[in-house]
Amino acid sequence: MKAAHRFKQALREDRPVAVINADYANASLVEFLSRPELGVDAVMLDAEQGSPDFERIEDMARAARLSGVCVLVRLFSPEAWVIERMLLRGIDGVIVPRLDTAAQARAALDVLRYCHPHNADDKVFVVQIESAAAHAHLDDFLAVDGIDAHFIGPVDLSRSMGHQGDYAVPAVQAAVDDILQRTRAAGRAVGTMVKPGDAEQWIARGARFLYFHVNDWLRIGSRSFPIVRN
């Protein structure tokens, strides 16, 4: 079974998936993160907040494919030309940020289906719910057929709610809980960013698309070496 198929099947079966942001534009790092013993389900290449350009993404995607791991790209824009150009780099799917309405999600899906008219269902399509507007239109998002996961972006959601990125405040946590509960009630996959020590809590709250950074892995690893001053 192809990596993207395994990934999509896990989400359909309500099983948690581990999605790691490689954080650095390096194909060798992606190859290492794709090793089976690490247990990563997908490597995310971050074109929104990271530095990889189109050519580097092509190389990084090739490294993931050769290792049999699903490779996703977080876009820097939901514009049609960005989606099309990225999908032609050999990736398994996209994570689409900066969406406020379901109409924008449908437009992005239309581009995916245009690029892959015969195998669009083989591609992973994730939308970020990261603004007060997207939260307000959540039912419309949940009605869109073809979205594999709804990814809550807590920092940007907090910012859009007037809390300067602090997602620990009660109002933001209440919004996150509402998105989690309503998305699961609709039978759809939902997820968010996890940090060291809280993944099990997020799973208990209903998150299945579990996103984290390789930088956090490095911090955890450094603390296990007594010769490193922490």
Side-chain angles (χ1 to χ4, degrees), residues 5-228:
H5 291 175
R6 291 196 302 270
F7 189 84
K8 290 163 73 78
Q9 182 175 334
L11 290 173
R12 287 194 300 268
E13 295 176 353
D14 198 33
R15 290 187 279 120
V17 292
V19 182
I20 189 166
N21 185 333
D23 282 320
Y24 304 98
N26 187 281
S28 295
L29 175 60
V30 170
E31 182 181 13
F32 181 82
L33 294 175
S34 302
R35 292 184 177 184
E37 63 268 24
L38 296 184
V40 170
D41 296 293
V43 175
M44 190 260 264
L45 314 181
D46 195 353
E48 183 192 25
Q49 298 178 349
S51 63
D53 57 19
F54 288 98
E55 184 174 5
R56 189 63 62 87
I57 283 173
E58 196 167 61
D59 290 338
M60 295 165 76
R62 186 178 298 113
R65 284 201 315 276
L66 290 172
S67 301
V69 168
C70 183
V71 56
L72 308 176
V73 171
R74 178 158 64 178
L75 307 171
F76 57 82
S77 168
E79 293 176 89
W81 73 269
V82 176
I83 299 171
E84 181 176 350
R85 190 174 180 191
M86 204 67 79
L87 283 170
L88 295 175
R89 305 280 69 79
I91 64 176
D92 290 312
V94 292
I95 301 171
V96 189
R98 305 175 187 271
L99 301 177
D100 290 325
T101 69
Q104 293 173 307
R106 288 192 184 92
L109 266 170
D110 286 343
V111 178
L112 185 151
R113 289 163 178 156
Y114 166 77
C115 290
H116 297 278
H118 305 298
N119 65 336
D121 290 341
D122 294 339
K123 299 298 179 181
V124 179
F125 186 83
V126 179
V127 296
Q128 292 197 187
I129 306 296
E130 56 180 350
S131 69
H135 182 198
H137 293 103
L138 181 61
D139 288 339
D140 295 330
F141 278 97
L142 296 175
V144 177
D145 185 36
I147 297 175
D148 293 297
H150 300 72
F151 171 49
I152 304 168
V155 177
D156 286 329
L157 177 61
S158 169
R159 187 178 298 118
S160 76
M161 294 174 65
H163 296 288
Q164 305 301 317
D166 182 1
Y167 56 90
V169 300
V172 178
Q173 283 301 303
V176 169
D177 275 333
D178 183 61
I179 297 168
L180 285 166
Q181 293 169 16
R182 287 164 60 192
T183 305
R184 287 191 59 78
R188 311 299 292 273
V190 62
T192 191
M193 176 178 63
V194 299
K195 289 290 186 178
D198 68 6
E200 290 184 354
Q201 298 173 34
W202 282 113
I203 292 172
R205 291 171 70 177
R208 294 297 180 264
F209 184 98
L210 305 174
Y211 160 81
F212 53 102
H213 287 265
V214 74
N215 282 339
D216 284 329
W217 272 19
L218 292 172
R219 293 186 185 98
I220 293 169
S222 72
R223 298 187 189 111
S224 70
F225 281 81
I227 61 172
V228 175

